Amino acid sequence: MTDDWRDDRIGSALRGENPTVLGETKAGFAVIGDTQFLPGYSVLLSRTPGPTALAELPRPERVQFLADTDLLATAVERACRRVGEGFTRINIDILGNKDAFVHAHVWPRFDWEDEVRRRYPVWLYDGANWADPAHALGPQHDELRQAISDELAAAQAEFSD
C-alpha cells in the first residue's frame, strides 16, 4: 500500500490500495470518511476517474451513482441504528466544491449534536473538526466500519435488480 493513496482516492481504490474502502457498488467505492466527528460518515467515490461533477457522467452512470448513494445511505443508517447512539437521520451532499472527482457524502446525524448544529448542514461545523486527530479514523471505528460494510452488502442483495 502506498502512502499517497489520499492523492488519488479513486485510482487507489481501483488498485486495491485505498484502506478506507468499505465495499464496491456498481458505480463506485463506498469508503469511510477520514474524519469521524459524526461516527459513520462515509463517501461514495465514482469508479470513473476524470469527471469532476455529477452532470459530467453519462446519464446511465449518473443514475446508477445516485442509486448507489442511496444504498450507502441505507447501510450507514442501519449500521448507526445498530451500533451508534442517538442516531436520528442521514444527510446526503453532492457538492464537488473541493475535490475534483465525483463523490457523494453520507452524513449520519445524532440527537447528541448541539441543537443549532443539528438543524444546519454539516459544513457549518468548525473546520477544525476535519483535521482534529481526536476525530481521525482509527481502530476505534472498526466495529462501526464492519457494520456499514455488512449493511452495504445486505442492502445490495436486498435491492439488486
Side-chain angles (χ1 to χ4, degrees):
M1 188 175 323
T2 64
D3 292 333
D4 64 350
W5 64 269
R6 284 183 181 92
D7 295 334
D8 183 8
R9 291 178 186 267
I10 294 172
S12 64
L14 288 166
R15 293 187 303 273
E17 297 172 355
N18 184 327
T20 63
V21 171
L22 299 164
E24 289 189 49
T25 68
K26 291 178 183 174
F29 297 92
V31 300
I32 193 161
D34 297 352
T35 185
Q36 291 292 303
F37 66 91
L38 293 173
Y41 163 58
S42 299
V43 179
L44 183 66
L45 305 174
S46 171
R47 71 172 52 257
T48 307
T52 60
L54 185 64
E56 292 177 13
L57 292 174
R59 187 165 194 290
E61 289 179 42
R62 184 173 46 223
V63 170
Q64 185 64 59
F65 184 83
L66 292 170
D68 289 356
T69 299
D70 173 67
L71 286 176
L72 178 57
T74 298
V76 171
E77 177 177 353
R78 289 176 177 175
C80 287
R81 285 192 192 285
R82 184 162 45 112
V83 301
E85 195 171 306
F87 173 80
T88 59
R89 70 180 184 278
I90 290 290
N91 289 156
I92 298 171
D93 293 319
I94 302 176
L95 304 169
N97 297 331
K98 181 181 172 214
D99 295 315
F101 51 86
V102 177
H103 61 289
H105 302 269
V106 176
W107 288 102
R109 303 305 297 266
F110 300 91
D111 62 9
W112 46 258
E113 292 177 74
D114 178 89
E115 186 173 344
V116 173
R117 295 279 180 235
R118 205 171 46 225
R119 294 185 353 211
Y120 293 100
V122 170
W123 307 105
L124 296 179
Y125 265 89
D126 186 288
N129 284 291
W130 277 264
D132 187 338
H135 300 304
L137 179 64
Q140 70 274 25
H141 301 106
D142 286 352
E143 179 184 10
L144 182 55
R145 181 183 182 137
Q146 187 61 56
I148 297 169
S149 291
D150 293 346
E151 293 293 352
L152 180 62
Q156 287 176 305
E158 181 180 350
F159 300 116
S160 67
D161 24 8

